[in-house]
Amino acid sequence: MTTLHDKFGRRIEYVRLSVTDQCDLRCVYCMPMGFHDFEEPEHWLSFEEIERVMRAFGALGVHRLRVTGGEPLVRRNLPELVSRLSGLPGIDDISLSTNATRLRKHAHELREAGVARINVSLDSLRPEVFKAITHGKLEKVLDGLMAAKEVGFAPIKINMVVMKGVNEGEVEDMVRFCLEHGFTLRFIETMPMGDTGRDAVDHYVDLRDVRARLESRFELLPGVMPGGGPARYMKVAGTDLNIGFITPISQHFCETCNRVRLSVDGTIYTCLGQEHNLPLRPLLRAGCRDEELTRAILEAIDLKPERHEFREKPEKILRFMSMTGG
Ligand code: SAM
Ligand code: SF4
């Protein structure tokens, strides 16, 4: 079996594929209000181009793919893209990150097309707090989540960005909600991505404190979840609930990083917190041969830096999360 390694010996087996930089929500830590500076659709990779790039990644040993954005469900005909990708040699795991606003409509098709697992962003269970964070309607998201449950995605993971003075007080409620519905729960620290992310860092919460707080209310045992992501898991004793802590700031996990990102305009970003990137679109549009595409991917992997510097240089990343593919 072919495997892909970077110059620090990390195996790269996972691509996060952004299919749009647009979104129907405006989360405070992610996308600025009034932000309309989207890439023109002609700069977006077409489904054919995405398929070609992912075929090349698959041949190099990447086997996991997460479809993300922006909000991936705002890209037209997304289930068609997923079914094309799920047929590619080597790709054996396709997952989706979504805000769930459009999931009621698309859950079934996506499941049929080959999405096995989904992650849903849900920062609050209180309609007014949810609205203040995302400018969207909680009710729609909860309905989308229930649709996901009905069609049988497994696992369904809830991602909650914990913010001081905003939703920090809801962590226990979210634990109960996930217990009730059989979801996995992951807490995330705010990252200084773009101006929005930097402003949100004023609300930064060290998840070690959240964990300590939960430990005083629930018995937490060491847990594991398949998936190879950065979360450190704990299991609530006597239940099936796994709680993950994603701590890019307080305890970075760069030494086990196994991924790169492909943005909607066809650029490979090798680290969320660094600029090292390689644009594939010019090559693709110039009619490159398959060998040239493969060489470019290998060059990109070689650029992958050892670690991010969110803590040391929070001013560094001008891209919003939705541009790189969160
Ligand atoms: N729209 C989809 C969603 O919200 O799940 C997928 C894309 S979104 C950019 C992916 C994840 O990035 C979400 O869980 C979101 O909470 C997270 N995110 C965005 N900006 C962030 C920031 N500055 N710090 C931490 N997490 C962030
Ligand atoms: Fe949209 Fe997801 Fe960013 Fe929120 S986090 S604005 S839902 S892309």
Side-chain angles (χ1 to χ4, degrees):
M1 189 176 73
T2 314
T3 53
L4 188 57
H5 293 270
D6 73 359
K7 59 178 190 283
F8 301 99
R10 295 171 295 197
R11 177 165 174 208
I12 308 302
E13 57 181 351
Y14 181 20
V15 169
R16 292 179 73 100
L17 168 69
S18 174
V19 293
T20 177
D21 55 7
Q22 303 188 0
C23 187
D24 53 351
L25 296 183
R26 288 288 178 278
C27 299
V28 284
Y29 45 71
C30 183
M31 223 181 258
M33 283 304 275
F35 176 67
H36 295 297
D37 186 21
F38 296 123
E39 287 285 311
E40 287 298 311
E42 60 263 30
H43 295 156
W44 289 5
L45 293 196
S46 64
F47 285 2
E48 288 71 24
E49 288 168 327
I50 293 174
E51 188 180 344
R52 188 171 175 211
V53 174
M54 286 315 306
R55 183 182 296 278
F57 267 114
L60 285 169
V62 163
H63 67 105
R64 303 177 50 210
L65 172 60
R66 174 170 295 276
V67 178
T68 181
E71 173 46 42
L73 296 188
V74 306
R75 178 104 187 221
R76 241 174 304 163
N77 303 326
L78 185 70
E80 182 201 324
L81 174 66
V82 171
S83 63
R84 290 167 86 138
L85 298 174
S86 66
L88 291 177
I91 305 293
D92 59 16
D93 176 32
I94 300 191
S95 54
L96 173 77
S97 284
T98 176
N99 62 27
T101 55
R102 298 171 187 217
L103 209 47
R104 168 61 65 193
K105 188 158 173 224
H106 297 292
H108 181 68
E109 287 175 285
L110 286 164
R111 183 90 177 93
E112 294 278 293
V115 173
R117 314 184 282 120
I118 63 166
N119 290 1
V120 172
S121 290
L122 180 63
D123 294 334
S124 175
L125 293 167
R126 298 181 189 158
E128 63 298 347
V129 178
F130 185 84
K131 191 166 179 51
I133 299 171
T134 67
H135 301 95
K137 285 207 173 90
L138 175 64
E139 194 189 320
K140 238 170 138 184
V141 169
L142 293 181
D143 188 42
L145 251 177
M146 295 313 137
K149 203 172 144 180
E150 283 155 31
V151 304
F153 289 110
I156 296 174
K157 294 182 185 164
I158 303 295
N159 284 339
M160 176 181 184
V161 176
V162 185
M163 290 167 280
K164 201 190 300 289
V166 180
N167 62 352
E168 195 189 5
E170 287 191 61
V171 294
E172 289 85 355
D173 288 351
M174 203 60 91
V175 168
R176 284 185 210 104
F177 175 77
C178 290
L179 266 172
E180 182 189 339
H181 291 284
F183 301 146
T184 297
L185 174 58
R186 288 134 41 102
F187 297 116
I188 305 179
E189 290 178 346
T190 47
M191 286 175 264
M193 303 270 310
D195 291 339
T196 43
R198 264 184 292 282
D199 291 348
V201 164
D202 292 344
H203 299 279
Y204 171 76
V205 173
D206 183 331
L207 289 184
R208 289 174 294 190
D209 299 339
V210 171
R211 183 173 147 175
R213 197 168 111 194
L214 289 176
E215 271 168 340
S216 70
R217 291 169 175 74
F218 303 93
E219 188 188 349
L220 299 184
L221 308 169
V224 265
M225 281 291 286
R232 295 177 168 86
Y233 282 97
M234 303 298 288
K235 198 169 168 33
V236 178
T239 76
D240 290 330
L241 177 63
N242 280 297
I243 304 180
F245 298 84
I246 303 182
T247 55
I249 310 299
S250 64
Q251 294 169 289
H252 77 78
F253 33 77
C254 303
E255 63 285 353
T256 56
C257 186
N258 59 356
R259 62 201 53 198
V260 293
R261 291 174 160 79
L262 182 66
S263 67
V264 67
D265 68 356
T267 303
I268 298 180
Y269 285 95
T270 58
C271 175
L272 202 49
Q274 298 278 13
E275 292 298 349
H276 307 61
N277 69 76
L278 193 144
L280 294 180
R281 195 180 73 238
L283 271 179
L284 292 166
R285 303 257 162 116
C288 69
R289 286 177 292 117
D290 287 347
E291 305 81 82
E292 291 172 278
L293 179 59
T294 301
R295 209 174 318 126
I297 292 176
L298 292 173
E299 256 174 60
I301 300 298
D302 237 25
L303 295 175
K304 190 169 166 66
E306 191 171 8
R307 50 166 303 204
H308 69 65
E309 293 169 301
F310 282 139
R311 228 185 222 285
E312 301 87 335
K313 298 182 183 162
E315 71 294 344
K316 191 162 176 174
I317 295 300
L318 302 177
R319 307 183 305 267
F320 310 115
M321 184 75 110
S322 53
M323 289 167 141
T324 322

